[in-house]
Amino acid sequence: MSQNNKPNTKISNSTRLPRKRFYRARAHSNPLSDSHFPVPITPLNVDYSLHYPHFFPSYKINNDNDDVTSTDQAPSLGVCSKKIQFADIGCGFGGLLVNLATLFPETLMIGMELRDKVTEYVRERILALREANPGQYQNISVVRTNSMKYIPNFFEKGQLLKMFFLFPDPHFKEKNHRRRVISPHLLDEYAYTLEVGGIIYTITDVEELGEWMKACLEGHPLFEAITEEELKADPVVKLLTSATEEGQKVARNGGQTFQAVYRRISVSEEESR
């Protein structure tokens, strides 16, 4: 068999999805280190056609006159009729995105992952799902980036409806707490990108980290806890423990999880409390 005709061993013959073992990476990355990947200058520079070709026609820059041209009706750069509304921060192998895709088929959502091999896996997984299920999974995508540094480069003020922080790195040592993805100063950025009424979902199997995230959210003036009644009625909450590889591992081991789910409120609401 010629080299060009060799079967792709990275793809499972039964599921036609990429095999995770070929995309394994270190469990954690240092979010304070410098990584080299393209970052949009502003949210207006995010190329939606690369992430969601079903919703946005492909287009290219005509270098002769800098116009945007396309075989379809081409949008201007950054001018989108739909915008990303869900962000899975540190999306891992994309389990939550895949589950949310069919639950909210008209909502654009993106996973943000720092590890290059894991990002590659999620990208290949989404492409395989799209091919196997025509018309589905067109609303999810992934980008390799450092969300602790570049959230404002991707999202406008009040753009997001939901943000997810599922089983983040606990960074146990006190000197490394500044690397935690939930912190008082980062919540300022998350509050900026969330619309009033938008929700932050967090979960961990590390009690100390769970208490930390809850305390950060509880102490921030622009977030309030979701009531138990609302949690029970929210179909997304059920996915926090079941959709991801980490959550499934905790469940298999009979471990405990700690959730903190908070709503973005307005300044006037905060003043009235």
Side-chain angles (χ1 to χ4, degrees):
M1 181 182 294
S2 67
Q3 186 173 357
N4 292 336
N5 293 327
K6 286 184 178 179
N8 187 350
T9 57
K10 288 188 176 182
I11 302 297
S12 167
N13 290 330
S14 58
T15 66
R16 305 308 303 164
L17 296 176
R19 303 175 191 262
K20 287 181 184 176
R21 63 181 179 176
F22 291 102
Y23 300 86
R24 288 291 177 183
R26 293 175 60 185
H28 307 296
S29 297
N30 179 3
L32 302 183
S33 66
D34 291 326
S35 300
H36 301 285
F37 39 72
V39 178
I41 299 174
T42 72
L44 294 178
N45 296 102
V46 176
D47 189 345
Y48 276 61
S49 70
L50 294 178
H51 292 283
Y52 313 101
H54 177 79
F55 292 95
F56 300 93
S58 60
Y59 60 86
K60 62 182 179 179
I61 300 293
N62 185 333
N63 292 325
D64 294 332
N65 55 15
D66 291 334
D67 288 337
V68 178
T69 59
S70 170
T71 55
D72 234 326
Q73 184 179 358
S76 299
L77 280 170
V79 180
C80 306
S81 58
K82 294 176 72 72
K83 294 183 182 295
I84 296 167
Q85 293 185 300
F86 293 3
D88 185 7
I89 310 301
C91 67
F93 289 97
L96 179 67
L97 286 172
V98 170
N99 279 269
L100 289 173
T102 52
L103 195 60
F104 301 92
E106 296 302 315
T107 300
L108 300 187
M109 51 193 84
I110 197 162
M112 310 183 87
E113 175 60 51
L114 184 56
R115 295 167 292 175
D116 56 349
K117 289 185 179 180
V118 177
T119 305
E120 182 185 355
Y121 170 85
V122 179
R123 185 178 295 114
E124 294 297 327
R125 181 180 186 181
I126 291 172
L127 291 175
L129 286 169
R130 288 176 178 177
E131 183 176 354
N133 304 272
Q136 293 186 322
Y137 303 102
Q138 299 289 341
N139 58 327
I140 57 175
S141 188
V142 65
V143 62
R144 184 185 179 217
T145 193
N146 187 335
S147 59
M148 290 179 65
K149 292 183 177 181
Y150 302 121
I151 282 283
N153 296 72
F154 285 89
F155 308 120
E156 301 170 5
K157 180 179 180 180
Q159 177 176 333
L160 297 178
L161 296 178
K162 297 182 187 293
M163 296 184 76
F164 300 91
F165 301 84
L166 276 53
F167 301 96
D169 190 334
H171 294 294
F172 289 107
K173 295 180 180 179
E174 186 173 352
K175 68 177 183 179
N176 290 331
H177 286 181
R178 61 197 177 100
R179 298 179 180 179
R180 288 180 169 177
V181 73
I182 295 290
S183 67
H185 78 274
L186 284 173
L187 285 176
D188 291 342
E189 292 193 359
Y190 305 153
Y192 176 84
T193 58
L194 278 165
E195 74 167 24
V196 172
I199 299 176
I200 274 185
Y201 299 82
T202 75
I203 188 172
T204 179
D205 59 329
V206 178
E207 184 173 8
E208 188 271 329
L209 178 61
E211 292 175 352
W212 164 283
M213 294 193 293
K214 183 176 181 180
C216 289
L217 285 158
E218 190 66 31
H220 197 283
L222 293 180
F223 290 98
E224 68 175 10
I226 300 292
T227 66
E228 287 297 324
E229 291 75 14
E230 291 174 293
L231 289 175
K232 292 178 181 177
D234 187 345
V236 172
V237 172
K238 300 179 179 63
L239 296 177
L240 302 184
T241 54
S242 63
T244 67
E245 187 177 69
E246 295 89 345
Q248 293 164 9
K249 186 183 301 181
V250 172
R252 286 196 303 270
N253 295 332
Q256 187 177 2
T257 58
F258 307 90
Q259 299 180 13
V261 183
Y262 278 68
R263 176 188 293 107
R264 166 73 156 89
I265 63 174
S266 65
V267 175
S268 59
E269 286 179 292
E270 189 275 331
E271 291 174 344
S272 67
R273 288 198 294 176

